[in-house]
């Protein structure tokens, strides 16, 4: 009985155990199935998300054509004749793309070591990095590949702030990254990433960043520079190397990049340690429209391009206008970056010295109405009021802010914070508090320069300086500004006389007072010009008369040929201004521009052939397609003989006339030379044809200088003619303008690569006019002797 009961219990227990085992086996299988179901559902769901994202359900996705041509704003680049970038036109994005081949190896290595070490092993998504990021919740480093980051930069920008948005954006980045990898090579993707990134401070893309932070092209970057720029990919706003921003943080970040390069064996430990010890080596050179080289020329070029884009024949294939701020055009110019730099340096060397002397002569004690002379106080007030109404401040308040005249006038008397130009300040600027009216008077005390240099055989403009600082003096005095040209007009009179009368530089005329009677050439009064200093006497050769700018002899020549032929000659030489046909134009009363004068004088150097100044040789689109190519505009104005004889006349100016300080060195200790003849002695020995010019009351100083393959004109004067030097010693063209020409030419001659000529001007093959005055005198004496010895005829 007990045995049977025991067996029964065993059987019950066995059944229960069997059921439990079965139950356990059943439960485990169910879990496995559910796991695989959920896993597959997740995979399918993820795949569905990818499909939906690729269809654009979560937002627009770039199609094949957009991936081929991503929408990026590209700055228009201005390129010099020697292949340097002078500046750019852009509105928001200062971006000029470079190819992968232009990137230095260490720059690419730094990027891969820091941002995506398995870059060459994946197809857009780094599975290992993504898994690590998921497991460590992003604490073990980011998982975005370079391709993903490029996708974000090109098509999405900043990330979403909510979780769902971040997830969908990440999915879209993955899809775009994979598409990019299919569309482009690995090298092209790296180049695109470097080109698209904003490095801050208007440094859009690696080329702008290299130029702005280190003053060089990407291919010239050194290891420590490359590491700094790659470090900025983490956050260019945070890692800003500029002083007063975050140079210390930027250096630490740079060193992290170097550590990564060492970790992945791109550089050795010794290299890492030596470069880590280096400073950032920043050479910050901002690229904006107001600073940099050739600012006045670039602004003139902006106007040129505006007209070009408005022309209906210069349109895109779709018929729309080109945008110079975003279409990535390349403008190839005639400006030589070296010569432009020499010209700007010459201005910066001479003008502070000249200004210091001008200020010294215009202290309140010496001149109560400074900087103006010969004006009463009420005349000065009228002058300032007129300037006020022409000012940019007036225009903005009147038309943009809709202020009344009374409100605007009142505002000109209220002190405000402002930054003003000052030659002695480190950056040529100082912050101060001043009324706008006082600031106008302050700026009217400055002497302003203008300079243009041109190759006469081609018309190519090699240097253009429209003022001394574009930030504060925006009016371009090369082409916009027109001023009285003084004696620099006289060669037009002489050239006309040579052309019409076949005169020689050695012909003589009396240097005595001379008048052209009333109404002879439309002059309402008798015209009797006086020589400078009131000196007369004897006779002078034409060469000596022009060299010393003798007014009476110029007047005699004007009387022989008449004003209208002189005007006709000037206009054939490219003078655009209408000129009144009266005798007084002989002394330079017309207002002309430096641009016109340089083009006109170039005709003399180019054997009588006028070349219209050329500034742009061609324009290309971002793909290198030529959109514009210049056609030279030339015309024969003078015979080669007349042009050559005029040049020989002008050589007398530097040999023994008003420009001879270019050659001598005996005046080193003369106070005037020590004060304002900057760079003296110059001691040029090569042939130089030139002409000084000084207007009434010394308001304008000019110097036109020529060698066989370069013609350069310089003007110096104040904004208002009432501001000028008291005496001609300081205010003449030989003092105000000539030193700039001399300093510029010394630099050009010092650069042998420029090939500026030191040779004689070419003499025509058949020269019928004698230009050697010794030979001319011998011939005249011989003729005179022959006449004296001729026997009398017996009738």
């Amino acid at each position: 009985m007990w045995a049977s009961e025991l067996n029964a219990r065993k059987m019950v227990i066995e059944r229960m155990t069997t059921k439990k085992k079965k139950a356990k086996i059943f439960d485990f299988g169910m879990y496995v199935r559910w796991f695989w179901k959920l896993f597959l559902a997740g995979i399918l769901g993820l795949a569905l998300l990818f499909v939906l994202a690729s269809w654009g359900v979560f937002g627009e996705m770039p199609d094949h054509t957009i991936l081929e041509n991503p929408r990026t704003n590209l700055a228009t680049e201005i390129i010099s004749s020697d292949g340097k970038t002078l500046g750019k036109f852009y509105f928001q994005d200062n971006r000029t793309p470079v190819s992968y081949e232009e990137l230095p190896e260490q720059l690419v290595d730094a990027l891969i070591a820091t941002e995506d070490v398995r870059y060459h092993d994946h197809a857009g998504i780094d599975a290992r990095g993504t898994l690590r990021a998921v497991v460590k919740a992003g604490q073990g480093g980011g998982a975005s590949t370079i391709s993903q980051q490029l996708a974000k930069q090109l098509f999405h920008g900043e990330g979403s702030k909510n979780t769902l948005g971040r997830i969908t954006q990440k999915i879209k980045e993955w899809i775009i990254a994979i598409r990019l990898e299919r569309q482009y090579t690995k090298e092209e993707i790296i180049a695109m990433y470097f080109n698209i990134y904003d490095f801050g401070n208007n440094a859009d893309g690696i080329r702008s960043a290299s130029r702005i932070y280190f003053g060089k092209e990407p291919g010239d970057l050194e290891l420590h520079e490359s590491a700094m720029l790659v470090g900025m990919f983490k956050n260019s706003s945070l890692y800003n190397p500029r002083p007063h921003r975050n140079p210390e943080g930027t250096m630490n970040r740079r060193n992290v990049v170097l550590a990564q390069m060492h970790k992945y064996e791109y550089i050795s430990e010794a290299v890492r340690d030596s470069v880590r010890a280096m400073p950032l080596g920043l050479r910050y050179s901002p690229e904006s429209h107001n600073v940099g080289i050739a600012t006045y020329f670039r602004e003139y070029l902006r106007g040129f391009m505006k007209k070009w884009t408005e022309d209906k024949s210069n349109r895109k294939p779709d018929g729309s206008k080109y945008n110079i701020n975003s279409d990535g055009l390349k403008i190839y110019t005639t400006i030589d970056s070296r010569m432009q730099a020499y010209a700007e340096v010459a201005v910066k060397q001479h003008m502070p010295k000249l200004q210091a002397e001008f200020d010294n002569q215009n202290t309140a004690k010496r001149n109560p109405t400074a900087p103006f002379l010969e004006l009463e106080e009420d005349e000065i007030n009228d002058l300032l009021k007129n300037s006020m109404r022409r000012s940019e401040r007036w225009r903005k308040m009147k038309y943009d802010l809709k202020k009344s005249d009374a409100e605007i006038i009142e505002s000109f008397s209220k002190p405000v914070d402002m930054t003003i130009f000052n030659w002695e300040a480190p950056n040529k600027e100082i912050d101060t508090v001043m009324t706008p009216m006082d600031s106008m008077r302050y700026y009217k005390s400055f002497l302003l320069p203008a300079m243009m240099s041109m190759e006469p055989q081609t018309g190519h403009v090699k240097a253009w300086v429209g003022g001394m600082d574009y930030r504060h003096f925006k009016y371009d005095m090369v082409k916009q500004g027109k001023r009285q040209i003084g004696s620099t007009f006289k060669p037009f009179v002489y050239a006309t006389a040579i052309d019409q009368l076949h005169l020689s530089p050695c012909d003589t005329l009396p240097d005595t007072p001379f008048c052209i009677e009333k109404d002879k050439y439309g002059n309402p009064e008798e015209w009797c010009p006086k020589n400078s200093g009131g000196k007369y006497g004897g006779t002078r050769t034409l060469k000596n008369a022009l060299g010393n700018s003798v007014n009476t002899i110029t007047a005699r020549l004007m009387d022989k040929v008449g004003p209208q032929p002189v005007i006709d000659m000037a206009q054939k030489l490219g003078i655009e201004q209408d000129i009144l046909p009266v005798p007084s134009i002989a002394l330079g009363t017309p207002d002309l521009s430096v641009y016109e004068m340089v083009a006109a004088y170039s005709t003399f150097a180019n054997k009588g052939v006028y070349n219209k100044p050329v500034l742009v040789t061609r324009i290309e689109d971002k793909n290198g397609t030529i959109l514009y190519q210049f056609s030279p505009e030339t015309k024969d104005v003078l015979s080669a003989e007349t042009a050559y004889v005029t040049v020989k006349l002008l050589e007398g100016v530097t040999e023994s006339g008003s420009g001879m300080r270019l050659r001598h060195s005996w005046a080193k200790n003369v106070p005037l030379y020590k004060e304002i003849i900057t760079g003296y002695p110059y001691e040029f020995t090569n042939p130089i044809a030139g002409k000084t010019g000084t207007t009434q009351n010394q308001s304008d100083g000019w110097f036109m200088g020529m060698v066989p393959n370069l013609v350069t004109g310089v003007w110096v004067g104040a904004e208002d003619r009432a501001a000028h030097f008291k005496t001609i010693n300081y205010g003449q063209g030989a003092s105000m303008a000539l030193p700039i020409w001399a300093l510029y030419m010394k630099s050009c001659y010092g650069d042998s690569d420029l090939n500026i000529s030191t040779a004689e001007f070419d003499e025509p093959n058949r020269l019928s006019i004698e230009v050697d005055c010794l030979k001319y005198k011998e011939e005249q004496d011989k003729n005179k002797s022959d006449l004296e010895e001729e026997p009398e005829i017996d009738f």
Side-chain angles (χ1 to χ4, degrees):
M1 179 179 174
W2 287 101
S4 61
E5 187 177 342
L6 182 62
N7 288 333
R9 287 180 178 176
K10 284 181 178 179
M11 291 175 66
V12 171
I13 290 170
E14 286 176 359
R15 289 193 190 102
M16 292 177 66
T17 302
T18 301
K19 287 181 179 180
K20 286 181 179 179
K21 286 181 178 179
K22 288 181 178 179
K24 286 181 180 178
I25 291 171
F26 172 79
D27 288 342
F28 180 74
M30 181 179 66
Y31 291 147
V32 170
R33 286 193 295 274
W34 273 107
F35 169 78
W36 284 109
K37 286 178 182 179
L38 290 173
F39 179 76
L40 290 172
I43 294 295
L44 290 172
L46 190 61
L48 181 61
L49 283 174
F50 270 84
V51 171
L52 292 174
S54 66
W55 289 348
V57 173
F58 302 126
E60 184 181 0
M61 292 287 286
D63 62 18
H64 177 76
T65 56
I66 293 176
L67 284 173
E68 277 191 342
N69 298 285
R71 295 190 188 102
T72 54
N73 291 330
L74 302 178
T76 288
E77 188 176 7
I78 305 164
I79 302 170
S80 69
S81 62
D82 56 321
K84 304 297 182 183
T85 298
L86 297 174
K88 300 176 186 178
F89 295 136
Y90 63 92
F91 180 62
Q92 290 180 322
D93 296 338
N94 177 24
R95 180 177 292 104
T96 303
V98 297
S99 65
Y100 180 82
E101 289 71 26
E102 295 175 82
L103 301 173
E105 184 179 1
Q106 77 268 10
L107 181 68
V108 176
D109 292 345
L111 177 69
I112 292 173
T114 308
E115 299 289 328
D116 190 357
V117 72
R118 286 177 290 278
Y119 177 67
H120 289 289
D121 300 326
H122 62 68
I125 300 174
D126 183 4
R128 182 174 162 187
T130 301
L131 184 61
R132 181 196 65 219
V134 171
V135 171
K136 296 187 177 182
Q139 298 302 310
S144 289
T145 64
I146 291 173
S147 303
Q148 286 176 252
Q149 293 179 55
L150 175 61
K152 180 179 178 180
Q153 290 283 332
L154 282 173
F155 302 108
H156 293 291
E158 293 300 319
S160 175
K161 294 183 179 179
N162 61 73
T163 303
L164 180 61
R166 285 197 296 270
I167 292 172
T168 56
Q169 178 167 310
K170 185 61 67 177
I171 291 170
K172 289 159 72 176
E173 287 175 12
W174 284 345
I175 295 170
I176 297 171
I178 293 170
R179 290 181 177 178
L180 287 170
E181 291 270 353
R182 292 174 180 173
Q183 192 84 24
Y184 297 100
T185 66
K186 289 285 188 179
E187 291 76 16
E188 288 172 331
I189 288 172
I190 282 180
M192 290 171 70
Y193 187 45
F194 273 115
N195 286 325
I196 197 65
Y197 191 73
D198 179 0
F199 291 87
N201 300 304
N202 286 330
D204 299 298
I206 189 63
R207 184 154 187 257
S208 292
S210 302
R211 290 169 55 84
I212 288 173
Y213 291 121
F214 298 110
K216 57 179 65 174
E217 295 297 325
D220 299 324
L221 290 170
E222 297 179 29
L223 177 57
H224 69 288
E225 298 164 338
S226 296
M228 189 203 88
L229 292 174
V230 168
M232 294 177 73
F233 276 109
K234 188 173 181 67
N235 187 332
S236 59
S237 296
L238 176 61
Y239 298 110
N240 188 327
R242 290 180 61 190
H244 311 301
R245 296 296 179 87
N246 189 14
E248 184 178 349
T250 305
M251 180 174 285
N252 292 337
R253 178 62 187 164
R254 179 201 70 177
N255 292 342
V256 169
V257 174
L258 293 169
Q260 289 293 103
M261 294 183 75
H262 171 249
K263 177 180 177 180
Y264 294 109
E265 300 182 349
Y266 286 105
I267 58 174
S268 66
E269 182 178 0
V271 170
R272 179 201 65 185
D273 293 342
S274 64
V275 177
R276 283 175 62 178
M278 295 174 67
L280 289 176
L282 200 68
R283 291 176 55 199
Y284 183 65
S285 307
E287 288 187 349
S288 78
H289 307 306
N290 289 333
V291 296
I293 193 170
T295 46
Y296 291 91
F297 169 74
R298 285 189 274 137
E299 192 56 32
Y300 169 78
L301 191 60
R302 186 192 303 277
F304 174 93
M305 290 302 298
K306 183 179 179 181
K307 290 180 181 177
W308 182 83
T309 57
E310 292 292 338
D311 189 331
K312 291 183 179 179
S313 63
N314 302 321
R315 295 292 169 92
K316 296 180 185 178
D318 64 3
S320 63
K321 291 193 299 184
Y322 282 98
N323 187 325
I324 66 169
N325 294 315
S326 61
D327 280 337
L329 302 177
K330 291 186 183 297
I331 308 170
Y332 292 86
T333 72
T334 60
I335 297 292
D336 187 292
S337 67
R338 298 159 296 182
M339 297 172 75
Q340 180 69 30
Y342 298 149
E344 293 183 10
V345 168
V347 166
K348 290 175 183 176
Q349 286 179 319
H350 178 60
M351 292 307 297
K353 290 188 69 172
L354 188 68
Q355 187 66 46
E357 181 56 33
F358 185 73
D359 293 342
N360 180 53
Q361 294 184 21
N362 280 282
T363 60
K365 184 177 180 181
R366 292 183 175 183
N367 179 16
T369 60
F372 308 110
L373 294 170
E374 297 99 28
L375 290 186
E376 300 296 331
E377 198 61 42
D378 59 339
E379 293 176 306
I380 293 173
N381 289 335
D382 289 342
L383 185 152
L384 292 173
K385 287 177 182 177
N386 289 333
S387 297
M388 174 180 66
R389 292 179 178 273
R390 295 195 305 267
S391 69
E392 183 67 10
R393 181 185 181 87
W394 181 282
R395 189 195 66 78
K396 286 183 177 180
M397 294 186 73
K398 179 78 172 178
Y399 300 106
D400 295 349
L401 302 179
K402 308 299 182 183
K403 299 290 184 181
S404 67
D405 287 5
E407 289 175 307
I408 300 173
I409 292 170
E410 184 182 2
S411 75
F412 271 80
S413 300
K414 292 180 178 179
V416 294
D417 294 332
M418 63 176 67
T419 301
I420 61 174
F421 179 81
N422 185 283
W423 274 118
E424 297 177 1
N427 195 34
K428 305 295 183 290
E429 289 183 327
I430 56 174
D431 295 325
T432 187
V433 177
M434 187 181 289
T435 69
M437 186 63 77
D438 287 340
S439 75
M440 279 200 313
R441 188 161 186 159
Y442 172 78
Y443 277 108
K444 287 181 182 297
S445 70
F446 281 96
L447 296 173
L448 309 174
M451 175 181 179
M452 185 176 123
S453 193
M454 179 173 135
E455 199 174 72
Q457 289 76 23
T458 62
H460 288 193
V461 176
K462 312 308 291 184
W464 176 304
V465 183
M468 56 195 178
D469 191 295
Y470 186 72
R471 294 170 299 177
H472 297 276
F473 304 92
K474 294 195 182 301
Y475 195 73
D476 178 16
M477 291 303 297
V478 167
K479 199 167 193 300
Q480 280 182 296
K482 295 179 185 286
R483 296 295 290 261
Q484 276 194 354
I485 55 172
S487 295
T488 55
F489 190 85
K490 289 177 180 176
F492 304 153
V493 179
Y494 279 72
T496 306
I498 294 166
D499 189 51
Q500 289 190 2
L501 307 175
H502 211 64
L503 297 177
S504 163
C506 311
D507 284 327
T508 60
L509 289 173
D511 178 15
T512 55
F514 179 79
C515 293
I516 294 179
E517 60 268 26
K518 176 183 176 181
D519 296 327
K520 182 173 183 180
Y521 296 110
N523 45 307
E525 302 291 337
E526 185 180 54
W527 184 60
C528 304
K530 297 179 180 178
N531 286 341
S532 178
K535 297 178 181 178
Y536 306 92
T539 60
R540 290 180 183 264
T541 64
L542 297 188
K543 187 172 185 177
N544 178 280
L546 183 61
N548 291 279
S549 218
V550 179
N551 291 339
T552 56
I553 289 179
T554 306
R556 290 177 185 275
L557 292 175
M558 174 60 83
D559 189 39
K560 290 178 182 293
V561 297
Q564 191 58 54
V566 174
I567 294 171
D568 294 340
M569 172 69 72
Q571 290 176 340
K572 289 177 184 177
L573 292 169
I575 300 303
E576 301 166 354
Q577 190 77 9
D578 290 334
I579 300 174
L580 193 65
V582 293
S584 60
I585 63 171
L587 305 187
T589 55
D591 288 358
L592 303 177
S593 67
V594 175
Y595 175 92
E596 292 171 286
M597 292 298 290
V598 171
Y601 270 66
S602 292
T603 308
F604 299 137
N606 193 35
K607 303 177 182 179
V609 179
Y610 170 82
N611 277 313
K612 185 176 180 179
V614 179
L615 297 157
V616 176
T617 55
R618 74 181 187 275
I619 301 170
E620 295 179 357
D621 68 10
K622 64 181 179 181
N623 299 315
T625 303
I626 295 176
L627 305 175
Y628 164 86
Q629 198 148 17
F630 92 100
S631 298
E633 296 182 36
T634 66
K635 59 182 177 182
D636 292 335
V637 175
L638 299 166
S639 67
E641 181 177 58
T642 299
Y644 179 73
V645 172
T646 305
V647 167
K648 299 307 286 185
L649 279 168
L650 290 168
E651 284 184 349
V653 174
T654 67
E655 291 169 355
S656 59
S658 57
M660 63 184 300
R661 60 185 57 174
L662 288 171
R663 302 190 181 283
H664 65 58
S665 59
W666 53 261
K668 293 178 183 178
N669 297 318
V670 175
L672 172 73
Y673 283 72
K674 293 167 72 174
E675 290 164 355
I676 63 169
I677 310 302
T678 314
Y680 178 86
Y682 310 114
E683 299 179 302
F684 289 101
T685 57
N686 57 291
I688 299 170
K691 187 70 191 80
T692 57
T694 309
T695 61
Q696 191 172 14
N697 296 329
Q698 301 80 241
S699 295
D700 305 274
W702 290 78
F703 183 72
M704 306 296 301
M706 303 190 294
V707 296
N709 64 348
L710 194 66
V711 177
T712 305
V714 183
W715 166 87
V716 174
E719 178 185 333
D720 290 285
R721 289 185 171 93
H724 56 80
F725 278 107
K726 290 182 179 179
T727 65
I728 196 168
N729 283 343
Y730 288 92
Q732 63 180 304
S735 297
M736 293 210 294
L738 178 145
I740 293 176
W741 187 92
L743 291 166
Y744 167 68
M745 290 300 293
K746 292 285 278 188
S747 296
C748 288
Y749 279 128
D751 190 336
S752 58
D753 291 338
L754 296 177
N755 295 315
I756 305 302
S757 175
T758 57
E760 298 276 353
F761 288 86
D762 288 342
E763 182 178 323
N765 291 330
R766 290 189 293 272
L767 188 65
S768 63
I769 300 175
E770 183 59 69
V771 295
D772 185 330
C773 291
L774 288 176
K775 290 182 179 179
Y776 179 88
K777 187 174 185 306
E778 289 174 1
E779 185 67 26
Q780 292 293 309
D781 289 344
K782 182 178 181 301
N783 291 339
K784 183 179 179 182
S785 175
D786 289 343
L787 287 172
E788 290 174 350
E789 294 175 4
E790 187 175 332
E792 293 184 6
I793 298 176
D794 186 4
F795 290 100

